[in-house]
């Protein structure tokens, strides 16, 4: 079965600290992977995506993610977080196995300590 | 408009009533999606419109749910005889063009409609 697991419901980090949000997926076919961010009261905004090629992808707002096929992971990282990064982050996977629809993780809420 | 617009932003209704939720996609976008986001859950795919093709309704949870898209633009999601478990945020997204692999379509989201069924 296709699924996306974001093991951390909440993560709290200090402003200026580094961040890693975990995403693991279960997917048979070639996965297309996404990270989206949702600020309070807003819709989701695409941070970055992986389709093929270089497994380290760069996104907006200084975020990056690394695709590790052997670990079925697509973790999101940022070297130094800002208070404005406080939001909910969603990982998603899509492809042939899900009729090309996206399967979404439950989200990780990022809290920034001043 | 500049982005995907959804209305109303909040809707409170009584159990058993029908509701209509509206989505106005970004001008020129050919693909449109509806999702349901329950508290503490990820997004649940409901329905996908792509141009003039028959919509992919595989995510609709019951026959109480229906959606239409008029003129390839505005879409309405209708929930009949609402139940308390229908309470959720309903999100709409649109994509600028139809990639042959739908999962590669970059989706642009509206702010959602928060539905509360009492």
């Amino acid at each position: 079965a296709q699924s996306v697991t974001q093991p951390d419901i909440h993560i709290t980090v200090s402003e200026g600290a580094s961040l890693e949000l975990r995403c693991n997926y279960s997917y048979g076919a070639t996965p297309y992977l996404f990270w989206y961010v949702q600020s309070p009261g807003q819709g989701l905004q695409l941070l970055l995506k992986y389709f093929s090629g270089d497994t380290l992808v760069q996104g907006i707002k200084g975020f990056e993610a690394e695709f590790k096929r052997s670990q079925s992971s697509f973790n999101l990282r940022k070297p130094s977080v800002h208070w404005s990064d406080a939001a909910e982050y969603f990982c998603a996977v899509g492809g042939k196995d899900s009729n090309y629809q996206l399967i979404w993780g439950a989200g990780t809420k990022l809290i920034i300590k001043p | 408009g500049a982005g995907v617009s959804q209305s109303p932003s909040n809707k409170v209704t009584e159990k058993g009533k029908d509701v209509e939720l509206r989505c106005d996609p970004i001008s020129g976008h050919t693909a449109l999606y509806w999702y349901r986001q329950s508290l503490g859950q990820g997004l649940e795919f409901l329905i996908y419109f792509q141009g003039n093709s028959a919509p992919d309704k595989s995510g609709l949870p019951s026959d109480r749910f229906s959606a239409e898209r008029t003129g390839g633009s505005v879409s309405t999601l209708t929930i009949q005889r609402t139940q308390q478990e229908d309470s959720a945020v309903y999100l709409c997204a649109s994509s600028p063009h139809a990639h042959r692999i739908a999962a590669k379509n970059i989706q642009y989201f509206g702010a959602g409609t928060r539905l509360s069924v009492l």
Side-chain angles (χ1 to χ4, degrees):
Chain A
Q2 307 109 33
S3 65
V4 176
T5 301
Q6 293 181 245
D8 303 304
I9 298 174
H10 298 98
I11 279 192
T12 302
V13 298
S14 298
E15 191 170 14
S18 63
L19 171 71
E20 183 170 32
L21 302 182
R22 295 181 290 164
C23 173
N24 292 95
Y25 64 89
S26 174
Y27 205 80
T30 300
Y32 304 118
L33 295 155
F34 301 80
W35 275 99
Y36 280 81
V37 60
Q38 185 179 31
S39 298
Q42 304 294 315
L44 281 74
Q45 180 185 19
L46 178 69
L47 281 176
L48 47 77
K49 63 190 184 296
Y50 172 80
F51 292 163
S52 64
D54 191 345
T55 56
L56 183 64
V57 293
Q58 303 297 320
I60 63 170
K61 305 185 180 186
F63 285 91
E64 66 178 26
E66 186 170 12
F67 170 54
K68 294 186 177 180
R69 185 184 299 275
S70 62
Q71 298 177 20
S72 298
S73 69
F74 189 57
N75 294 348
L76 182 71
R77 301 193 293 249
K78 186 169 185 178
S80 176
V81 298
H82 187 262
W83 65 267
S84 60
D85 293 325
E88 189 144 23
Y89 292 79
F90 291 91
C91 180
V93 64
K96 184 178 179 182
D97 276 10
S98 55
N99 197 29
Y100 302 110
Q101 297 304 332
L102 295 184
I103 309 298
W104 295 82
T108 297
K109 186 171 183 179
L110 176 62
I111 300 164
I112 307 295
K113 287 192 302 186
Chain B
V4 177
S5 177
Q6 292 188 246
S7 61
S9 54
N10 286 282
K11 176 72 176 179
V12 180
T13 190
E14 295 178 349
K15 177 181 172 182
K17 300 283 189 183
D18 297 352
V19 296
E20 286 190 352
L21 312 180
R22 177 188 168 102
C23 174
D24 200 342
I26 294 172
S27 178
H29 280 198
T30 60
L32 187 147
Y33 304 77
W34 281 100
Y35 292 94
R36 179 166 68 178
Q37 184 180 23
S38 300
L39 190 64
Q41 304 294 316
L43 277 68
E44 175 189 7
F45 164 73
L46 297 177
I47 188 168
Y48 164 55
F49 295 91
Q50 176 48 63
N52 295 322
S53 302
D56 176 355
K57 303 179 181 180
S58 59
L60 294 178
S62 77
D63 59 7
R64 297 188 296 106
F65 289 72
S66 63
E68 63 177 21
R69 188 178 184 192
T70 54
S73 180
V74 172
S75 178
T76 302
L77 176 69
T78 301
I79 308 173
Q80 296 178 312
R81 305 180 302 281
T82 52
Q83 304 295 312
Q84 288 184 332
E85 60 262 29
D86 299 333
S87 296
V89 175
Y90 289 82
L91 291 166
C92 175
S94 67
S95 290
H97 59 267
H99 197 289
R100 64 180 181 85
I101 298 176
K104 288 189 174 183
N105 290 335
I106 305 306
Q107 299 179 30
Y108 297 80
F109 283 81
T113 294
R114 183 176 298 277
L115 175 65
S116 300
V117 182
L118 305 180

